[in-house]
Amino acid sequence: MAVVDNSMSYSGARILLSRGNDEDAAINRKLPKELLLRIFSFLDVVSLCRCAQVSRAWNILALDGSNWQKIDLFDFQKDVEGPIIENISRRCGGFLRKLSLRGCQSIGDGSMKTLAHLCQNVEDLNLNACKKITDSTCHALSQHCSKLQRLNLDSCMLITDHSLKSVSDGCSNMTHLNISWCSNVTENGVEALARGCPKLKCFISKGCKQITSRAVICLARYCNNLEVINLGSTNIRDEAVQALAEKCPKLHYLCLSGCSSLTDPALIALAQQCTMLSTLEVAGCTQFTDAGFQALARSCRYLEKMDLDECVLITDATLIHLAMGCPRIEYLTLSHCELITDEGIRHLSMSPCAAENLTVLELDNCPLITDASLEHLTSCHNLQRVELYDCQLITRVGIKRLRNHLPNIKVHAYFAPVTPPPTGGASRQRYCRCCVIL
């Protein structure tokens, strides 16, 4: 079957129907309606709407509910309002499986209640930044949409614990939930969710300040299948990470960035229990030391991405152990790790990961890094990007040498403008103009 171009325009479609009326057009006579319907199923929302304007026959085919199983209205986010969602709900009915209303800030509870009532087979619903959505929407979803598996409530700031209780009561098949920046959610909501949704695989709660260690321990106890967890900027302590490590052995993505109370025992627990870990983000965890990362490097050989931004206590010893124990690292952030030196970069550049996998290295605000590090990095043949902002010992000459060896690499650096020499004569002002104004 020929692939249908999603860029099909209204005028182009009209050409196909230019001879005779729409029922007698060549394409309608040659192809059965079932095949036309199958072709339409490959079109996006924009193309379907254009086809619906071509003729009465195509209008019926284009607006058939079977073509609207997956809908992403992000391109229309400035215009989409409640009545549009209600029309879509009536058109799709039980066919709708996946709907993204990301950024549709005009959508409210009324239209979402209609959708929940008419589209009871929906499995994936994205309400990211739908800021008018409240607990009423989640209550309606709980009542009518028992097949719901993925729900994104990121930045729905009116959501409270009542929503998580509703999800727990009516959506036991839930596998993916995002409640980032839902600041009204507390440990009580998370505990209710954990008890009712044992199939949960992905839990994202970045910026939920009221989520505590008690909530995470409960989550670990009831949701042993968790694979992806983001607890960034929450108020958790070591015991929460230790519980996750003990109860959730399938964990492969973990974000703890901004959890500044965590210490090395959290990393050691992950090293002992979560050997399949591939991504670890711990930016701003300022109490982690070389000892914690040494334990990780010994056990977690599948690590591919590590964000150690502002882990200010680590030294070259961490890089030495990562170089020896983690051959798959592709993305490594060491920004604001002010104790890292050229020696650490030398060991990293000699490692198996550097030779085969390392593609991104971020070294912003590492004051001890010099051009010697760039010389070491020339052996990293797959390196695509290096960040060097505010590395004051790096020079343009060093960057040029690196680019000579790796011509396709992107190097991001900043060099302050050269201060102009003082003007001659004795009439020079003691202060610059800015200082005089201030």
Side-chain angles (χ1 to χ4, degrees):
M1 181 186 295
V3 178
V4 178
D5 185 358
N6 283 354
S7 64
M8 179 187 291
S9 66
Y10 171 76
S11 59
R14 291 290 296 181
I15 295 175
L16 296 173
L17 302 173
S18 59
R19 297 178 180 177
N21 60 45
D22 58 341
E23 296 296 339
D24 295 330
I27 191 171
N28 292 335
R29 286 187 284 103
K30 295 291 185 181
L31 298 180
K33 290 184 178 179
E34 292 78 11
L35 185 53
L36 282 171
L37 197 61
R38 176 62 175 164
I39 294 173
F40 280 20
S41 70
F42 291 96
L43 301 182
D44 59 18
V45 174
V46 176
S47 300
L48 284 171
C49 290
R50 287 174 176 169
C51 289
Q53 300 175 60
V54 170
S55 69
R56 288 187 299 274
W58 278 30
N59 181 274
I60 294 172
L61 292 171
L63 300 184
D64 188 276
S66 63
N67 291 325
W68 296 72
Q69 297 182 43
K70 298 180 180 180
I71 305 173
D72 187 344
L73 294 181
F74 181 68
D75 291 338
F76 306 96
Q77 60 175 324
K78 295 181 180 178
D79 303 321
V80 170
E81 295 183 353
I84 295 177
I85 301 304
E86 293 171 16
N87 289 338
I88 288 175
S89 302
R90 295 186 185 96
R91 178 177 302 130
C92 298
F95 286 108
L96 187 64
R97 296 292 187 274
K98 180 177 180 179
L99 174 64
S100 176
L101 301 176
R102 177 172 55 111
C104 298
Q105 299 189 34
S106 298
I107 301 301
D109 291 327
S111 53
M112 291 307 303
K113 289 179 181 178
T114 300
L115 184 137
H117 181 71
L118 297 176
C119 304
Q120 299 188 12
N121 292 320
V122 66
E123 299 171 357
D124 187 334
L125 182 59
N126 187 343
L127 299 175
N128 187 344
C130 295
K131 297 181 179 180
K132 292 184 178 181
I133 295 299
T134 73
D135 295 330
S136 296
T137 289
C138 290
H139 181 67
L141 293 172
S142 172
Q143 286 186 315
H144 302 291
C145 302
S146 60
K147 296 182 180 180
L148 191 62
Q149 298 177 19
R150 295 170 176 257
L151 180 60
N152 188 338
L153 297 170
D154 188 339
S155 301
C156 295
M157 293 174 288
L158 300 179
I159 293 297
T160 72
D161 290 339
H162 293 297
S163 287
L164 299 196
K165 180 65 167 62
S166 295
V167 169
S168 173
D169 291 339
C171 304
S172 59
N173 292 314
M174 187 68 64
T175 59
H176 294 68
L177 180 66
N178 187 340
I179 55 169
S180 296
W181 309 109
C182 294
S183 56
N184 293 316
V185 171
T186 72
E187 59 186 16
N188 296 326
V190 176
E191 290 182 20
L193 174 78
R195 288 185 171 90
C197 299
K199 298 179 182 179
L200 204 62
K201 294 181 179 180
C202 172
F203 179 73
I204 301 176
S205 61
K206 185 176 181 180
C208 294
K209 297 289 188 182
Q210 298 192 67
I211 291 182
T212 62
S213 294
R214 193 183 88 183
V216 177
I217 291 172
C218 186
L219 196 68
R221 177 183 177 185
Y222 292 101
C223 304
N224 302 140
N225 292 315
L226 280 167
E227 300 176 5
V228 174
I229 304 177
N230 188 328
L231 300 168
S233 301
T234 55
N235 294 315
I236 62 170
R237 296 183 177 276
D238 291 341
E239 58 266 25
V241 180
Q242 290 167 332
L244 287 173
E246 180 183 355
K247 301 291 186 180
C248 305
K250 298 179 182 179
L251 196 63
H252 62 82
Y253 173 98
L254 179 61
C255 176
L256 302 170
S257 295
C259 300
S260 56
S261 298
L262 297 177
T263 62
D264 284 341
L267 294 182
I268 293 171
L270 290 172
Q272 293 172 343
Q273 304 288 341
C274 299
T275 57
M276 300 304 293
L277 203 62
S278 61
T279 297
L280 179 65
E281 299 176 4
V282 292
C285 295
T286 55
Q287 298 190 61
F288 287 156
T289 72
D290 293 329
F293 291 111
Q294 178 179 348
L296 276 177
R298 286 174 177 168
S299 303
C300 301
R301 296 186 58 82
Y302 295 100
L303 278 168
E304 297 176 356
K305 179 180 179 180
M306 296 187 72
D307 185 350
L308 311 185
D309 188 351
E310 292 190 53
C311 292
V312 294
L313 298 181
I314 66 172
T315 69
D316 291 339
T318 287
L319 295 189
I320 292 172
H321 287 104
L322 291 178
M324 292 188 297
C326 302
R328 299 191 179 194
I329 290 182
E330 300 176 7
Y331 187 115
L332 181 60
T333 297
L334 299 168
S335 300
H336 297 91
C337 297
E338 297 183 354
L339 302 180
I340 297 296
T341 73
D342 296 333
E343 184 65 11
I345 301 301
R346 184 179 73 83
H347 280 278
L348 183 67
S349 66
M350 295 169 59
S351 68
C353 78
E356 300 176 10
N357 297 313
L358 189 65
T359 57
V360 176
L361 180 62
E362 298 185 355
L363 296 169
D364 300 332
N365 291 278
C366 291
L368 303 181
I369 295 297
T370 73
D371 287 349
S373 286
L374 303 188
E375 191 67 31
H376 298 319
L377 292 177
T378 57
S379 61
C380 303
H381 303 297
N382 292 314
L383 197 59
Q384 298 176 9
R385 177 164 61 88
V386 178
E387 303 286 339
L388 297 168
Y389 290 110
D390 290 323
C391 294
Q392 298 186 16
L393 299 181
I394 294 292
T395 69
R396 288 185 173 87
V397 173
I399 293 175
K400 184 177 181 180
R401 289 199 195 102
L402 177 63
R403 284 177 170 154
N404 287 338
H405 287 86
L406 305 173
N408 295 322
I409 195 171
K410 295 180 180 179
V411 181
H412 297 156
Y414 172 78
F415 296 95
V418 178
T419 304
T423 57
S427 59
R428 181 173 177 265
Q429 291 183 336
R430 181 178 179 185
Y431 301 108
C432 71
R433 183 177 299 176
C434 297
C435 296
V436 171
I437 293 173
L438 295 174

